[in-house]
Amino acid sequence: MVNDRRQRLRALLTQDNQHGPGSRLRRICDICVAELKVSGAGATVLTKVGDDGTHHHRGLIHASNAVSARLEDLQLTVGEGPCVQAFATGGPVLVPDLAATYIRWPAFASAAAELGVAAVFSFPLQVGAARLGSLDLYRDRPGPLTSGRLADALILADWATAAVIEQIDGHNTSDISWMADSHVEIHQAVGMVKIQLDVTTEVALLRLRGHAFTTGVPLAQVAKQVVTRTLRFDPDNEPA
């Protein structure tokens, strides 16, 4: 049965004429949407951003639609949610009814509901004990994945892991040049805020996240404002 599933999904994956790990990851997300009957799919990867190389930041690799991209950005901003937990625990996090998680993830659940998200399913991208990121699926209506679709999701998560490994091969862990442009700007903005406030990288990232959360502006957009110098963080006042 598992081999049959792999063969069917492999046939769908090879229908794509484009080549390379980036296009393969996009195709995997497309297959997730079509075969698992979800509304959108996205993948994130972890990169090192700390001054001592021990702290990390999640960055978007691909999102199948605008809501998926915003959902990933939301979890980056508030620092909680299914993808954060999937990475922390190394196991799938299945949330068939997001409305039941307000106590568990108050900031994430309320904001995700405003995006029209009703269910979320997150799968860690990992090799052994090494965790690279997560594959995140959402639905605009509540309901669990069937056992068959859950099995398919686990297979697709394994293939997404392989695509991520191939994509980051040859890059330093702090090199984010191959990631989505909006999240490259987050790293650039962190560096600028660090200088503006004379703080550590970690504190600068927290300030960016805090401003994004309190203003309701996506973290990527706040970063863009900092990079284009329309937003500056003042050590004595709120951002100007």
Side-chain angles (χ1 to χ4, degrees):
M1 181 67 70
V2 173
N3 287 335
D4 290 343
R5 289 187 178 281
R6 286 186 178 275
Q7 290 176 5
R8 179 176 58 81
L9 293 173
R10 178 69 70 183
L12 292 172
L13 184 62
T14 55
Q15 286 177 4
D16 186 12
N17 293 324
Q18 298 183 16
H19 301 284
S23 62
R24 187 153 51 253
L25 190 58
R26 289 192 294 273
R27 180 61 178 157
I28 288 170
C29 287
D30 290 343
I31 293 173
C32 285
V33 173
E35 296 298 311
L36 306 183
K37 306 305 179 184
V38 295
S39 304
T44 61
V45 71
L46 212 67
T47 56
K48 293 183 177 179
V49 298
D51 296 327
D52 57 2
T54 61
H55 292 77
H56 301 82
H57 171 62
R58 302 183 68 89
L60 179 69
I61 311 173
H62 176 71
S64 64
N65 59 27
V67 174
S68 285
R70 185 68 186 93
L71 193 65
E72 299 292 4
D73 189 279
L74 171 62
Q75 295 183 86
L76 296 176
T77 300
V78 300
E80 67 178 31
C83 85
V84 176
Q85 184 170 339
F87 182 85
T89 63
V93 177
L94 310 177
V95 185
D97 186 359
L98 190 63
T101 68
Y102 277 76
I103 296 177
R104 186 179 183 184
W105 302 310
F108 168 78
S110 60
E114 292 179 2
L115 294 174
V117 175
V120 185
F121 312 99
S122 294
F123 302 85
L125 305 180
Q126 60 184 5
V127 180
R131 296 168 195 161
L132 306 176
S134 65
L135 175 67
D136 308 305
L137 318 175
Y138 86 89
R139 274 187 182 149
D140 57 10
R141 64 187 187 282
L145 293 174
T146 65
S147 59
R149 288 170 183 163
L150 177 58
D152 287 351
L154 293 170
I155 293 171
L156 291 165
D158 282 344
W159 291 351
T161 301
V164 168
I165 291 173
E166 187 176 350
Q167 194 162 355
I168 65 178
D169 184 38
H171 293 274
N172 185 277
T173 54
S174 61
D175 178 7
I176 56 168
S177 60
W178 55 275
M179 294 171 63
D181 289 345
S182 61
H183 293 278
V184 170
E185 287 181 335
I186 290 176
H187 290 258
Q188 294 172 338
V190 166
M192 293 176 67
V193 173
K194 175 183 174 181
I195 294 172
Q196 292 169 8
L197 299 180
D198 190 23
V199 295
T200 65
T201 299
E202 294 73 39
V203 171
L205 179 57
L206 287 173
R207 289 294 298 272
L208 278 172
R209 284 177 169 169
H211 183 71
F213 182 70
T214 56
T215 60
V217 177
L219 181 60
Q221 186 60 38
V222 172
K224 185 177 184 66
Q225 293 171 1
V226 172
V227 171
T228 58
R229 294 177 170 78
T230 59
L231 173 65
R232 178 180 175 83
F233 283 71
D234 190 317
D236 299 318
N237 303 290
E238 290 298 312

